[in-house]
Amino acid sequence: MSLNQTVQSVTDRIIARSEATRSAYMKRMEAAQKKGPARAHLSCSGQAHAYAAAGEDQGQLATTSAGHLGIITAYNDMLSAHQPFEIYPERIRKAVRAIGGTAQVAGGVPAMCDGVTQGEAGMELSLFSRDVIAMATGVAMSHNVFDSSVYLGVCDKIVPGLVIGAQSFGHVPAVFLPAGPMVSGISNDQKAKTRQAFAKGEVGREELLKSEMASYHSPGTCTFYGTANTNQMLMEFMGLHLPGSSFVNPGTELRDALTEEGARKALSLSALGNNYTPVCDVLDEKAYVNGIVGLMATGGSTNLLIHLIAMARAGGIILDWQDFSDLSDNVPLLARVYPNGLADVNHFHAAGGLGFMIGELLNSGFLHPDTKTVAGEGLENYMMEPFLSEDGLTWRQGAGKSLNEAILRPTKDAFQATGGLKRVSGKLGTGVIKISAVAEEHRVVEAPVRVFHDQDEAKAAFKAGELTDDVIVVVRFQGPKANGMPELHSLTPILSILQGQGKQVALVTDGRMSGASGKVPAAIHVVPEALDGGPIAKLRDGDIVRLDAPSGVLEILTEGVLERPVVTADLSANEHGTGRDLFQAFRRNVAAADEGASVFGV
């Protein structure tokens, strides 16, 4: 099957746009590779420090040139998705020791749970934590003693931060090892109904807590298709996971076998052997296009329209939202996983999962087949599934068909002909919208706006009975420069209630929504943000705005808005407390959302 023309043209223009920056990056990686890890060239004192706590591996490290593996871990036991990583280092050490190698934990990186901080001050640190994770990865790898590396991370900002950090050491191979999703609890639909009932005052907090605990109930990733699971999808589409490893549950024999094989695979890719595959060669322009195609075909998280841009720039590759939008216009939506459906990721995996999707997209010409991956040359490796046999871990051909077409469909019978995310633009600025979960009758909203400067104001207006008609709720001064661009997921229940009452309702914001963005249309990441004097800072209550997702329009219909002075806001309350004072330099220096909202340059 020949490559889809749009996929090819988008790839070509990314390559052309990135020529200078990508070339400079690859020259740096080539120079670093020639120097190699400096373990053998360290002073005797330096080596003694590096090996002092290595126990039985001390002799091997000091006297041989066997491969040495660095482990970067985002372990903590507050994140259910990361709790399984507690025992990974020892499992990894044993696995590589058995083949003559060694491994050490190079360093840990922070990992915060957006589920805990939703609607709280801590959420204003969330996006910036990605860049902190990248920096912490750089510190960990700066000892320059590792021949290869493995990365332990799953959730929202953690995987993007690790990828950014790994690309700073792009001459070193990298394998990402997931922990897998928790087993299914109560249905996501049931959970959402309880949240709405609580927002209406129909049930109390005790009933709400009972519902939430029945949903988030055990080690592993949350099972809805939000940012964490979108990250896992990307790591397969982009070739950094072992094939079929993303959605294997924690605590299973298969999960353990995949972890051990991932460690062995990482060492096999080092420059000491004949299969040297540095991460800079895996993460090229084609890999990023494959990741965007996967994002569109699965209806993934809106957060990745920021993260993928930042990740790519770390490797000298320049993406923009038009690339995403053009691919979305041509890539079919093949999956319905909550909030874009009732199934969770366990159901998705059982129905054929990523192996089926990658096979369908490859066979239909929507993916570059010739990318390098940690599993070898060519993305067709990711059509395979891992199994345990008498001989241990093996891979064999996946299902090859959907086992539940309410969850997964082939390209010739897709849920819709276009992808799940869309760029919107007009006089109000440029933003993005996730439309895969929005019913067709709600994809175009034209209504008066109600303007708020934070989500608490919007919730208070709802509780006071002020939102009774068709409305576009505008929440501004939520961009990265204003307050770190928190997710506004706690608005979802009240907006869903208004929509359920028959109102035409939408959200427009320079902030973010969660990867769980659902049935209410939300134009988010609007740039320029209000603090930069964007048109969103000139809106007043009652102005008419049109959000037309299918046509990609975000328009102000009221005359004279752009001639008004911009509104200012008192943001002093966002500058201190809950660690926010430590991030003032980030807020001052962060790039716009459409440039990755990063504090790093390209």
Side-chain angles (χ1 to χ4, degrees), residues 346-382:
N346 291 313
H347 306 138
F348 167 80
H349 184 64
L354 295 177
F356 167 76
M357 287 198 70
I358 289 173
E360 276 294 305
L361 292 165
L362 274 172
N363 292 333
S364 301
F366 288 107
L367 291 171
H368 290 282
D370 55 343
T371 54
K372 289 185 178 181
T373 77
V374 299
E377 191 81 28
L379 197 60
E380 71 275 2
N381 291 302
Y382 288 78

Side-chain angles (χ1 to χ4, degrees), residues 201-223:
E202 295 172 354
V203 300
R205 184 166 293 278
E206 183 177 340
E207 186 67 23
L208 176 65
L209 180 58
K210 181 180 178 182
S211 171
E212 297 292 333
M213 294 288 283
S215 179
Y216 308 114
H217 61 91
S218 66
T221 315
C222 304
T223 59

Side-chain angles (χ1 to χ4, degrees), residues 145-420:
V145 298
F146 302 108
D147 301 294
S148 190
S149 56
V150 292
Y151 289 83
L152 313 183
V154 172
C155 286
D156 296 20
K157 264 57 68 186
I158 295 95
V159 166
L162 291 173
V163 170
I164 293 170
Q167 286 179 114
S168 289
F169 290 81
H171 62 293
V172 179
V175 175
F176 279 60
L177 302 179
M182 67 177 68
V183 296
S184 301
I186 65 168
S187 74
N188 288 297
D189 188 52
Q190 184 178 348
K191 175 185 67 178
K193 288 178 179 177
T194 304
R195 287 178 175 178
Q196 288 187 31
F198 176 76
K200 293 179 182 178
E202 295 172 354
V203 300
R205 184 166 293 278
E206 183 177 340
E207 186 67 23
L208 176 65
L209 180 58
K210 181 180 178 182
S211 171
E212 297 292 333
M213 294 288 283
S215 179
Y216 308 114
H217 61 91
S218 66
T221 315
C222 304
T223 59
F224 66 90
Y225 192 53
T227 308
N229 285 317
T230 301
N231 287 339
Q232 304 314 292
M233 175 277 297
L234 286 170
M235 293 301 94
E236 290 211 30
F237 271 75
M238 296 174 71
L240 290 177
H241 275 180
L242 294 182
S245 64
S246 295
F247 300 130
V248 176
N249 300 120
T252 61
E253 290 185 43
L254 181 57
R255 175 84 278 156
D256 293 343
L258 286 165
T259 299
E260 293 163 6
E261 178 60 20
R264 291 189 290 265
K265 175 63 72 173
L267 271 192
S268 77
L269 301 177
S270 81
L272 298 174
N274 298 320
N275 194 29
Y276 177 51
T277 309
V279 72
C280 64
D281 286 355
V282 174
L283 294 179
D284 64 4
E285 295 91 340
K286 291 181 179 180
Y288 276 101
V289 169
N290 283 350
I292 297 171
V293 169
L295 182 67
M296 300 309 166
T298 58
S301 168
T302 54
N303 282 323
L304 272 301
L305 283 110
I306 296 175
H307 296 324
L308 275 167
I309 290 174
M311 291 157 63
R313 287 186 174 222
I317 298 169
I318 303 174
L319 307 177
D320 65 33
W321 282 346
Q322 193 61 50
D323 300 327
F324 291 78
S325 194
D326 289 349
L327 289 170
S328 183
D329 285 344
N330 288 271
V331 174
L333 181 69
L334 304 185
R336 287 212 180 278
V337 187
Y338 187 85
N340 175 27
L342 299 180
D344 67 20
V345 294
N346 291 313
H347 306 138
F348 167 80
H349 184 64
L354 295 177
F356 167 76
M357 287 198 70
I358 289 173
E360 276 294 305
L361 292 165
L362 274 172
N363 292 333
S364 301
F366 288 107
L367 291 171
H368 290 282
D370 55 343
T371 54
K372 289 185 178 181
T373 77
V374 299
E377 191 81 28
L379 197 60
E380 71 275 2
N381 291 302
Y382 288 78
M383 297 166 60
M384 308 292 283
E385 284 190 71
F387 291 91
L388 290 177
S389 69
E390 293 180 358
D391 299 323
L393 180 65
T394 61
W395 272 264
R396 58 178 185 247
Q397 198 66 36
K401 64 177 183 179
S402 173
L403 302 180
N404 186 334
E405 292 203 354
I407 301 172
L408 269 174
R409 287 188 184 174
T411 55
K412 66 177 185 292
D413 187 29
F415 290 106
Q416 63 183 46
T418 58

Side-chain angles (χ1 to χ4, degrees), residues 102 130 144 151 160 254 258 291 310 313 320 422 461 481 506 575:
T102 53
R130 181 197 64 195
N144 199 28
Y151 289 83
L254 181 57
L258 286 165
R313 287 186 174 222
D320 65 33
K422 186 78 175 177
K481 290 185 179 180
E575 302 208 349

Side-chain angles (χ1 to χ4, degrees), residues 438-459:
V438 178
E440 289 189 15
E441 63 268 24
H442 296 307
R443 293 182 179 181
V444 179
V445 180
E446 183 179 309
V449 302
R450 277 294 306 271
V451 182
F452 304 98
H453 285 184
D454 62 49
Q455 58 187 324
D456 290 335
E457 288 182 0
K459 289 187 284 189

